[in-house]
Amino acid sequence: MAVYAIGDLQGCYDELQRLLEKLRFEPSTDRLWLTGDLVNRGPKSLEVLRFVRGLGDAAVAVLGNHDLHLLAVHHDKHRHFKSNDTLQPILAAPDREELLDWLRQLPLLHHDEALDAVMVHAGLPPQWDLTTARRCAAEVEEVLRGPLLVEFLEHMYGNRPHLWSPALQGWERLRFSVNCFTRLRFCTPEGRLDFERKGRPGSQEGPYLPWFQVPGRRSAEVRIIFGHWSTLGLHLNDGVRGIDTGCLWGGTLTALRLDDSSDTVVSIACPQGARPG
């Protein structure tokens, strides 16, 4: 059995199929890990959702910021819809409710002890060890899957609080967790989150560091697979595996094999599906 992690799809269904063909992926024996942002900006988000859902236990995906945005748009389109969203085919699909109910059951963090690997969409703040990260993910997942979903989506947007404290409660605690799991790139050495900077490491000013390079990061002993950061590109250092290689923007779609120790990477070139920004 081969286990492959694949970076952000964002509606790039045709590219996914080409990559799976190159991998000779067999759902009856192989497994896929998907780093989130299954949807939006690209041309075939509906097809991606249907395909990944149809894989059943052969695939596990974590939620990304665009996936959560889809849920928010579904429940309040006029408030949350953005001009560059490409979500309308999903919202108009006859199987919309089934797809979105499946989507909100997805985790924010996936941990496989046998593979000694953790997958999130964006990152973990330096104050969190794996136990804390799993607990915070479970708190958000419980709300996403329960009767407070719509109320949570109304409180989800925003950049504050931007510093972790175990004393955080309620919507602020949930918002902080969601921002880490789905939006994090840079933070200060003290762990203060920053969402303004989106370029490559080295492009930032001030005291900011990539979250995975903060000295003393408490999740440093865990192999973390993540996406979200297309300007970072393929990153196989610092104890992490960043695999969002910008398929949507004309980069590549990348698969990383997880069930061996060689970090085998398989990629395909992608036509530009959207213009950055």
Side-chain angles (χ1 to χ4, degrees):
M1 179 181 75
V3 183
Y4 297 101
I6 295 180
D8 300 24
L9 295 173
Q10 293 197 245
C12 295
Y13 173 79
D14 294 340
E15 291 77 9
L16 173 62
Q17 295 305 314
R18 288 198 290 117
L19 180 57
L20 294 181
E21 183 177 354
K22 187 173 182 178
L23 295 172
R24 298 182 179 178
F25 174 75
E26 176 51 61
S28 64
T29 56
D30 301 331
R31 297 294 179 265
L32 286 184
W33 289 26
L34 300 167
T35 62
D37 275 2
L38 300 178
V39 303
N40 211 12
R41 307 290 173 82
K44 294 186 177 181
S45 294
L46 176 59
E47 290 84 348
V48 168
L49 285 186
R50 286 173 172 166
F51 177 74
V52 176
R53 180 173 180 249
L55 288 174
D57 293 340
V60 58
V62 291
L63 288 165
N65 51 302
H66 284 283
D67 307 315
L68 291 173
H69 178 66
L70 168 59
L71 293 174
V73 169
H74 170 59
H75 288 285
D76 192 346
K77 178 176 180 179
H78 297 291
R79 179 174 180 180
H80 298 297
F81 187 78
K82 299 178 182 178
S83 61
N84 56 355
D85 286 341
T86 59
L87 302 172
Q88 189 57 38
I90 300 173
L91 301 176
D95 53 347
R96 172 193 63 202
E97 297 300 330
E98 292 87 349
L99 290 170
L100 295 182
D101 186 64
W102 167 79
L103 188 69
R104 73 181 182 125
Q105 309 299 322
L106 296 182
L108 285 163
L109 179 150
H110 177 67
H111 178 216
D112 188 309
E113 292 185 8
L115 292 175
D116 188 29
V118 167
M119 177 173 62
V120 296
H121 177 61
L124 302 180
Q127 305 96 325
W128 284 3
D129 57 15
L130 179 57
T131 298
T132 303
R134 293 183 65 175
R135 181 171 63 249
C136 290
E139 292 169 357
V140 180
E141 291 159 8
E142 181 179 7
V143 176
L144 283 169
R145 298 165 185 173
L148 295 179
L149 169 65
V150 176
E151 191 174 357
F152 164 74
L153 294 171
E154 291 302 312
H155 289 86
M156 178 179 68
Y157 292 91
N159 295 338
R160 298 295 182 98
H162 50 43
L163 187 65
W164 169 250
S165 168
L168 286 174
Q169 296 181 1
W171 302 124
E172 288 195 340
R173 182 181 176 97
L174 296 175
R175 188 185 309 115
F176 180 88
S177 296
V178 166
N179 281 340
C180 292
F181 287 123
T182 69
R183 298 178 61 208
L184 180 59
R185 293 185 182 95
F186 289 104
C187 61
T188 67
E190 297 76 30
R192 191 177 302 273
L193 311 184
D194 174 76
F195 300 110
E196 298 299 322
R197 293 153 184 82
K198 300 181 180 181
R200 295 179 59 84
S203 65
Q204 76 276 19
E205 299 177 355
Y208 302 101
L209 296 169
W211 64 267
F212 47 81
Q213 291 181 351
V214 172
R217 174 171 62 90
R218 297 191 65 195
S219 59
E221 77 285 356
V222 183
R223 181 172 60 150
I224 299 175
I225 294 91
F226 67 100
H228 183 61
W229 200 342
S230 61
T231 54
L232 174 68
L234 183 66
H235 186 87
L236 305 179
N237 298 301
D238 304 302
V240 299
R241 307 293 185 269
I243 57 172
D244 178 6
T245 50
C247 175
L248 180 67
W249 315 118
T252 62
L253 185 63
T254 294
L256 173 70
R257 187 159 182 174
L258 301 178
D259 58 302
D260 63 26
S261 58
S262 60
D263 278 341
T264 300
V265 171
V266 179
S267 299
I268 59 164
C270 301
Q272 185 170 335
R275 183 173 299 172

